Amino acid sequence: LWDTGNWRVNVYAADGAIQPSWSTLSGSGGNVTMSTGRALMVDTASRIYIKRRVFSRGGESPTAWIRYRANGSPLDTIQLPPFSYSPAQLQAMSASGNARSTAPVPFWPVPQSAMSPLGYLVTGVPDRYAFEIHSGGTRSVLSVRRNVQPPAVTSHERDSARAALTERMGRTQPGWSWNGPDIPKARPFYAGLSVGEDGRIWLPIIPEATPAVGSVSSIGGAMGRVGGGPPRPTESRSSGTPRPALFDVFEADGAYLGQVQIPPRVSTVVRRGDNVWGVEFDEDEVQRVVRYRIVW
């Protein structure tokens, strides 16, 4: 269990007995904590990974995976590869200069990455239907691509997103006008990227409407209850009813398996072989752990 507030990994035996903890360097002063969801993993070789920002005096804080041996001693660091990508952001500044707001351009593709339990990174930028498997390090990369048309963003969706952002940024800077790239007319090809415990790669074509259990979005704030508590499932904006998620699934070597539909109001947590474990929310937001079997 990665105790991000105290920058240490707490270790327990299978029966719950407490084992010696492993300290992890914060790389920052004061009482800075870490708030990265689903950021601890054990691979098939019993090596432990924690995902974090690497702080530096130069101002850049790249994301990296710190890898530890099974006994808790540091092994190495795996840093994300450079992306040929320019983030698209909007900015607003108050008249006094004391308040500043930033927001990403809606529907703009964002780089995705996940660590495979087989011990390597899987990355992609969803401005095209492609992802890369870095199984042999930086000198050996397998690129998996599909020749499909991008899903369109409707004019209504673009107008609604523009109006919502204009109202939001106007709270900081009255009279604010759009100061970034225009909203794309096509959606990203996928909305995230994850790897199952067996190395299968899951691309969400229609993402789960429920905040991912164990992620930052599921802990308090706008995506959860005040003071923490369970996240609220979100319904389809168009129909007001729950809608299923849809994933394209690939084998660890990039071979395409097919599509898997996840039932509505379910946050999947563990995927292994043809079994999927998750948390299901009923109409009263009561949660229960569920297990599904994939029928291809």
Side-chain angles (χ1 to χ4, degrees), residues 235-255:
E235 314 299 357
S236 169
R237 293 186 180 182
S238 58
S239 63
T241 58
R243 53 120 175 98
L246 185 67
F247 290 81
D248 275 349
V249 184
F250 298 79
E251 290 285 16
D253 61 1

Side-chain angles (χ1 to χ4, degrees), residues 101-208:
S101 297
T102 60
V105 173
F107 303 106
W108 199 268
V110 176
Q112 305 292 330
S113 64
M115 181 63 67
S116 170
L118 303 181
Y120 51 78
L121 278 168
V122 180
T123 65
V125 180
D127 58 346
R128 57 178 183 163
Y129 196 112
F131 60 89
E132 283 68 53
I133 302 173
H134 302 260
S135 57
T138 57
R139 289 176 290 181
S140 176
V141 178
L142 173 65
S143 183
V144 180
R145 308 177 185 181
R146 299 189 72 193
N147 185 19
V148 296
Q149 293 296 316
V153 180
T154 67
S155 57
H156 174 71
E157 289 173 325
R158 297 175 81 239
D159 292 343
S160 297
R162 183 184 298 275
L165 268 175
T166 300
E167 190 276 334
R168 172 187 166 186
M169 304 299 270
R171 299 175 195 168
T172 302
Q173 181 180 334
W176 178 87
S177 59
W178 201 269
N179 56 14
D182 197 9
I183 298 176
K185 295 182 179 180
R187 298 174 182 272
F189 280 93
Y190 49 89
L193 187 156
S194 59
V195 183
E197 291 193 349
D198 53 358
R200 285 180 177 175
I201 298 161
W202 292 64
L203 297 186
I205 306 305
I206 301 177
E208 295 171 358

Side-chain angles (χ1 to χ4, degrees), residues 260-283:
V260 174
Q261 183 172 283
I262 302 295
R265 305 175 71 90
V266 171
S267 172
T268 57
V269 180
V270 176
R271 307 180 184 107
R272 184 168 63 240
D274 287 345
N275 289 317
V276 175
W277 289 259
V279 174
E280 180 183 64
F281 298 80
D282 67 14
E283 294 181 354

